[in-house]
Amino acid sequence: MTSSLESIGWGREALARGEGARGHLPDSSVARLLVMLWEENRETQQAAVRSLPGGNRDCYYEFNYGYFSESFLRELRSRHSPMPVEAEARYEAVVGVLHDLIDQSTRDIRAMSGMHYSFLSSALYLAVFATCRDALLTTERLRAAPLHVPLCGLMWNLSAVSGTGRLNPQDTIQLMEGAGRALAVMPPDKMPELWAALSHTNETRRLAVMPALSYLSDARSVPYLLELLPMQKPVIAERIVACLGRLGDARAVPLIHDFTRSADWPLRRAGKAAIAAIRRTEKEEPVRTLLRPSRPNTSDLLRSAGRAQHTEPPSEMLHVLPDLPARETRNG
């Protein structure tokens, strides 16, 4: 029988592999890990919560200050005790706790932006930022799409308070980037708040969520980005164009091409770079083809097998032709 710590290890590995969204499936490693959050054994419970923000099969995540662990477990016990019976309900309970932690961090950061620091407020500062950072890492690993709403809210607030001079800019940037990474791994069709933010009439709101563009890697984002692109000012359009170039989807080329003639030099440069990146992707990831003689026993050069289906074994697809008899000359 698999021990509790072994189940936690496999769950931690599944999270590291990007399988966090499977936590609602009862037979998944992530679901078995989440069960351990309700264990009465304190050591098992702590091992489970340490597995949420980081680590893999062999390595635990090391908390900075440990505030997330206590905050998470306290909230989980107060709101969801006893443990929900169904795996899906347990997953939703964990997601709900994360939602509340991110919302609370957002409110606390907003409040701290108006504080004059003392020893106690400095301790509060460390607690808030450490808890928020670990909540973002857990959100990224669980890939819980409902959390895109508090993530966008956090980014808006961080953007609003970043100019107060009361918060360390490195800390706010770290949280903005963490929220962007967490958003980027969610299914594009499950985060309407992000796309709404990128089309908001308030440019500050659009700028606030731009860190997510640096991490998007799902080609399903391309239609959303193409729809948003024409309405943007150059500073935001430049980031969207760069994102489309990184995604490497040829569908974006016609629209991006319009920006290569922009009067804004950074945007014009970004458009040219994006098209070059897409063309490079097409060359680096072509349909894998094999070469074979166009006709047996001929001196023709090799030709590409292209996309056509063929039944020849790989060993026959590319080989050296046998020596052919010399052609007769007209005088011969």
Side-chain angles (χ1 to χ4, degrees):
M1 180 180 293
T2 304
S3 70
S4 297
L5 292 180
E6 286 178 321
S7 293
I8 291 171
W10 287 118
R12 194 164 57 244
E13 177 67 17
L15 289 174
R17 291 179 179 176
E19 300 174 12
R22 293 176 55 81
H24 69 282
L25 301 177
D27 60 342
S28 70
S29 297
V30 177
R32 288 191 286 272
L33 164 64
L34 298 185
V35 169
M36 303 303 164
L37 294 170
W38 280 270
E39 276 287 323
E40 293 184 4
N41 182 284
R42 179 72 173 173
E43 180 183 352
T44 302
Q45 194 180 72
Q46 287 290 331
V49 76
R50 285 179 64 194
S51 300
L52 296 178
N56 54 31
R57 178 70 180 85
D58 302 314
C59 300
Y60 276 108
Y61 174 76
E62 293 296 333
F63 286 116
N64 293 322
Y65 310 110
Y67 298 114
F68 172 78
S69 175
E70 293 304 319
S71 300
F72 181 90
L73 290 174
R74 181 172 60 250
E75 188 74 14
L76 188 69
R77 285 193 296 266
S78 66
R79 293 185 51 194
H80 303 283
S81 185
M83 179 182 73
V85 176
E86 301 295 330
E88 185 172 1
R90 290 192 294 270
Y91 184 77
E92 290 175 354
V94 170
V95 170
V97 170
L98 286 170
H99 192 296
D100 289 348
L101 288 179
I102 295 171
D103 274 349
Q104 185 61 53
S105 294
T106 300
R107 291 191 294 271
D108 290 342
I109 291 170
R110 188 94 192 186
M112 283 193 304
S113 67
M115 283 185 178
H116 291 284
Y117 286 114
S118 65
F119 175 78
L120 289 177
S121 61
S122 295
L124 173 63
Y125 182 99
L126 292 175
V128 169
F129 274 85
T131 300
C132 188
R133 181 178 61 249
D134 291 334
L136 295 179
L137 290 171
T138 302
T139 299
E140 180 182 355
R141 281 161 66 91
L142 285 176
R143 299 173 181 250
L147 294 176
H148 84 281
V149 177
L151 289 178
C152 288
L154 173 65
M155 297 173 87
W156 296 334
N157 278 275
L158 286 169
S159 177
V161 303
S162 61
T164 63
R166 301 290 175 81
L167 305 177
N168 186 331
Q170 292 181 338
D171 291 333
T172 56
I173 290 172
Q174 184 182 53
L175 293 187
M176 292 281 279
E177 295 296 315
R181 285 192 296 269
L183 284 168
V185 299
M186 295 177 182
D189 60 338
K190 300 296 184 182
M191 46 182 185
E193 196 76 15
L194 174 62
W195 309 123
L198 283 167
S199 61
H200 200 279
T201 54
N202 186 328
E203 186 178 4
T204 302
R205 289 240 173 159
R206 282 179 276 162
L207 289 168
V209 297
M210 281 208 305
L213 298 177
S214 299
Y215 301 101
L216 284 175
S217 59
D218 192 328
R220 292 176 296 175
S221 302
V222 171
Y224 296 94
L225 296 171
L226 291 178
E227 183 178 352
L228 292 168
L229 185 52
M231 67 181 70
Q232 306 297 338
K233 291 184 177 179
V235 65
I236 300 176
E238 181 185 346
R239 293 285 293 273
I240 295 178
V241 166
C243 179
L244 289 166
R246 193 181 67 256
L247 291 172
D249 194 311
R251 290 176 294 177
V253 170
L255 184 54
I256 294 177
H257 189 267
D258 293 340
F259 291 96
T260 62
R261 297 187 293 271
S262 171
D264 184 84
W265 182 78
L267 179 55
R268 186 167 68 248
R269 181 184 59 181
K272 292 178 180 179
I275 290 177
I278 293 171
R279 296 306 185 206
R280 227 172 14 249
T281 300
E282 290 178 330
K283 290 180 181 178
E284 291 172 358
E285 299 179 3
V287 175
R288 294 186 179 276
T289 61
L290 295 171
L291 300 178
R292 57 185 175 185
S294 58
R295 292 191 300 276
N297 300 321
T298 71
S299 59
D300 289 352
L301 295 177
L302 300 177
R303 68 177 175 84
S304 169
R307 295 178 180 268
Q309 298 295 318
H310 45 73
T311 58
E312 296 91 337
S315 60
E316 294 298 319
M317 296 300 290
L318 180 62
H319 59 84
V320 178
L321 290 173
D323 291 336
L324 299 175
R327 292 184 179 178
E328 294 183 359
T329 64
R330 292 186 179 182
N331 297 327

